[in-house]
């Protein structure tokens, strides 16, 4: 008998042509009492459901969520695993003196600092050029004179007001007047750059509920219940082919959150992205995984009994724990 499935770790894992995983182990356990030989065939999600509805395969197994829409065209067994839609986000650093210094030394901050220093030097050179012939506070020698102008422009910008240097010509005072007002804007922007360098990435996750996903760059999996959930909630998002590709979007900085089945996200993060990604400790909505069967399948009740017997055994708990840890049991 053909059984449709698709790669969805840890429920279905395809490695070198061999299928393993939680759902595969369950299907093999069921087939032992079924008395038939089964063969797994890989299909896309929509293909799996269409094949079951058409009766070209005996069943479809994997991380298949039981929904009303799907139940209209095929049958499902009892749920063998209950979970929900989760959210994966990048890991945020805890702010320490070391991370603060690292952020201050970051390229964006140093670029802002260099631009500010250039602006101060330009203003200083301009005032020196105007004042050098009539004002002893700005020596005629270029190095000393521009240095004095730089000192004056910095003191004026920060409103310290030492008063040791000040323009005395009309043009010099007009430049000073314009710089006094302009420096308010400049110092505000520079302060914002410092604050941004210290706080961006240092805050804990900003997603605490579904409402926080609005206006966030969200990615999900094409044709999945998580994508349908986001569409139903009118949350803008883009889709990719599978969960691995979605998490790659997150790692590359092209997304702020991945919304998909929580156990799949936890497994992939644990296997590939420890320390870089995390799955938030809440679910957006509940999901029940079941085995999809064609309508009027004669063995449905027998399969249900076999599922219920299996999922309440210590062996099943150890199997699930082996893939998902204690939190997944």
């Amino acid at each position: 008998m053909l059984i449709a499935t698709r790669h969805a770790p840890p429920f279905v894992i395809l490695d070198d042509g061999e299928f393993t995983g939680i759902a595969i182990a369950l299907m093999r356990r069921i087939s032992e009492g079924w008395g038939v030989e089964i063969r797994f065939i890989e299909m896309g999600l929509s293909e799996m459901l269409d094949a079951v509805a058409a009766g070209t395969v005996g069943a479809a197994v994997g991380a298949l969520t039981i929904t009303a829409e799907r139940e209209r065209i095929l049958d499902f067994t009892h749920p063998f695993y209950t979970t929900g839609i989760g959210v994966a986000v990048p890991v945020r650093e805890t702010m320490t003196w070391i991370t603060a210094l690292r952020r201050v030394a970051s390229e964006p901050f140093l670029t802002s600092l260099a631009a500010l220093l250039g602006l101060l030097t330009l203003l200083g050179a301009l005032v020196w050029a105007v004042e050098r012939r009539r004002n002893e506070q700005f020596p005629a020698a270029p190095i000393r004179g521009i240095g004095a102008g730089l000192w004056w422009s910095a003191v004026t910008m920060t409103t310290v007001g030492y008063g040791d240097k000040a323009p005395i010509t009309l043009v010099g005072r007009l430049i000073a007047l314009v710089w006094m007002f302009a420096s308010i804007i400049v110092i505000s922007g520079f302060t914002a750059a410092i604050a941004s360098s210290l706080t961006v990435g240092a805050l804990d996750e900003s997603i605490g509920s579904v409402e926080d996903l609005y206006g966030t760059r969200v990615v999900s999996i094409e044709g999945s219940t998580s994508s349908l959930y986001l569409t139903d909630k009118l949350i803008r998002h883009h889709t990719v082919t599978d969960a691995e590709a979605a998490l790659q979007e997150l790692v590359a900085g092209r997304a702020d959150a991945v919304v998909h089945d929580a156990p799949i996200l936890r497994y992939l993060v644990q296997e590939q992205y420890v320390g870089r990604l995390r799955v938030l400790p809440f679910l957006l909505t509940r999901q029940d995984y079941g085995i999809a069967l064609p309508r009027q399948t004669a063995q449905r009740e027998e399969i249900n009994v076999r599922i219920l017997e299996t999922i309440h055994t210590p062996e099943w708990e150890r199997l699930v724990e082996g893939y998902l840890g204690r939190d997944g049991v």
Side-chain angles (χ1 to χ4, degrees):
M1 177 182 293
L2 284 179
I3 306 296
T5 190
R6 68 191 294 260
H7 182 68
F11 292 90
V12 178
I13 302 171
L14 177 58
D15 187 16
D16 292 331
E18 292 293 325
F19 288 100
T20 58
I22 296 172
I24 298 298
L26 176 64
M27 194 68 223
R28 287 190 171 127
R29 180 73 63 85
I30 292 171
S31 68
E32 291 173 2
W34 212 348
V36 295
E37 183 179 348
I38 61 174
R39 181 166 63 89
F40 296 101
I41 180 171
E42 187 178 22
M43 295 182 176
L45 179 58
S46 298
E47 292 178 281
M48 289 171 58
L49 299 176
D50 292 342
V52 172
T56 55
V57 297
V61 65
L64 286 177
T65 303
I66 302 172
T67 66
E69 292 77 11
R70 293 172 179 176
E71 186 70 35
R72 289 190 180 98
I73 61 172
L74 44 83
D75 284 339
F76 277 99
T77 64
H78 282 306
F80 65 84
Y81 190 85
T82 298
T83 180
I85 295 176
V87 182
V89 296
V91 170
R92 305 301 188 187
E93 291 183 272
T94 301
M95 180 57 70
T96 64
W97 282 109
I98 295 176
T99 55
L101 290 174
R102 189 188 308 128
R103 293 185 187 284
V104 169
S106 65
E107 182 178 349
F109 179 82
L110 293 178
T111 301
S112 300
L113 183 61
L116 178 62
L117 183 59
L119 179 61
L120 293 174
T121 303
L122 178 63
L123 261 295
L126 184 60
V127 169
W128 167 76
V130 172
E131 296 288 318
R132 61 192 174 93
R133 298 184 186 277
R134 298 179 54 189
N135 192 339
E136 295 180 354
Q137 298 173 19
F138 298 90
I143 295 179
R144 292 183 59 203
I146 294 176
L150 174 61
W151 173 257
W152 167 83
S153 62
V155 168
T156 301
M157 181 189 70
T158 56
T159 67
V160 173
Y162 285 122
D164 57 337
K165 300 184 188 303
I168 61 174
T169 66
L170 177 61
V171 176
R173 287 181 174 178
L174 287 175
I175 293 173
L177 184 63
V178 172
W179 179 233
M180 288 176 191
F181 288 102
S183 62
I184 296 174
I185 300 173
V186 173
I187 197 67
S188 298
F190 188 65
T191 302
I194 296 175
S196 177
S197 297
L198 292 175
T199 59
V200 170
L203 299 175
D204 196 4
E205 70 275 354
S206 59
I207 299 174
S209 65
V210 66
E211 285 76 17
D212 295 323
L213 293 173
Y214 293 96
T216 302
R217 296 178 302 167
V218 179
V219 62
S220 189
I221 285 70
E222 182 180 2
S224 66
T225 53
S226 53
S227 178
L228 295 175
Y229 172 83
L230 293 171
T231 300
D232 183 61
K233 294 293 184 180
L234 303 179
I235 297 172
R236 294 181 60 182
H237 64 286
H238 73 276
T239 59
V240 292
T241 55
D242 52 49
E244 289 97 329
L247 294 177
Q248 281 293 336
E249 293 279 294
L250 196 57
V251 170
R254 293 188 292 270
D256 301 313
V258 171
V259 175
H260 192 47
D261 298 14
I264 295 177
L265 293 179
R266 289 195 190 101
Y267 177 81
L268 291 174
V269 167
Q270 176 181 301
E271 291 292 307
Q272 304 176 33
Y273 303 105
V274 172
R276 291 195 289 170
L277 303 178
R278 62 173 299 204
V279 180
L280 299 181
F282 64 86
L283 299 175
L284 297 178
T285 188
R286 171 177 164 163
Q287 289 178 304
D288 293 314
Y289 290 163
I291 298 173
L293 301 171
R295 290 276 194 166
Q296 308 302 321
T297 298
Q299 298 92 344
R300 181 182 177 188
E301 288 304 316
E302 180 184 344
I303 295 172
N304 282 333
V305 171
R306 191 72 172 170
I307 288 174
L308 293 174
E309 289 176 345
T310 301
I311 65 176
H312 291 100
T313 62
E315 291 78 13
W316 174 261
E317 292 183 3
R318 286 194 294 270
L319 174 70
V320 174
E321 183 180 348
Y323 282 103
L324 296 173
R326 287 296 307 170
D327 293 340
V329 177

